Amino acid sequence: GRIQDAVDAAKTNAVILVTNGIYNRGGKATDAYDVTNRVALDKPVTVVSVNGPFQTAIEGQWDPVSTIGPNAVRCALLSSNSSLAGFTLRNGATGANRMGGGVYVYYDDMVASCVISNNRAYVGGGGVSGSYYNCWVINNSAASSGGGVAFAVSLNNCTVVANASGSGGGGVAAGRMTNCIVWNNSA
């Protein structure tokens, strides 16, 4: 199955429970830049894995030619007061000059208890914007800034390790952090 099918069918403020597995099929383009998202929470819903990030993954796709390019697929997009909890978000990417390879979050939507790893973007390889709670942001990269996360409203109790960017903020660029471990990132 596809998580997106459940999101599309859900009513406002629904809680969607997702069972174990690797979700790597389908996609939805929702933003002005036509970036395809494996899962787009484009209405107020909460999507939660039943058994956590080591059992449940949302997997994007790198562009086969240039990593970040026209055939890339971002793992997740959150908008409209939505939240995502308990997933591994891996191998996502965006088109050239786009943000948030793992997750693009509008405003202050929430990402919780997620492993965000091995994603690529121009800005915010792992993620852009939003609030992150108890997340591990590992081995993401950005061509410009925010290898791990860029422009976050907040990171709380997060671990940010081994991310890289081409200019500034190897781990985090422009974000408020509380009780976080930030180690071995480079810019």
Side-chain angles (χ1 to χ4, degrees), residues 94-126:
T94 63
N97 300 317
R98 304 293 181 246
M99 300 188 290
V103 59
Y104 189 105
V105 184
Y106 283 69
Y107 317 112
D108 193 20
D109 298 285
M110 182 180 73
V111 178
S113 301
C114 287
V115 175
I116 303 169
S117 68
N118 207 36
N119 299 290
R120 307 289 181 259
Y122 183 71
V123 172

Side-chain angles (χ1 to χ4, degrees), residues 25-39:
R25 303 227 183 266
K28 185 174 187 178
T30 59
D31 58 20
Y33 303 113
D34 293 324
V35 174
T36 300
N37 306 283
R38 192 67 72 207
V39 177

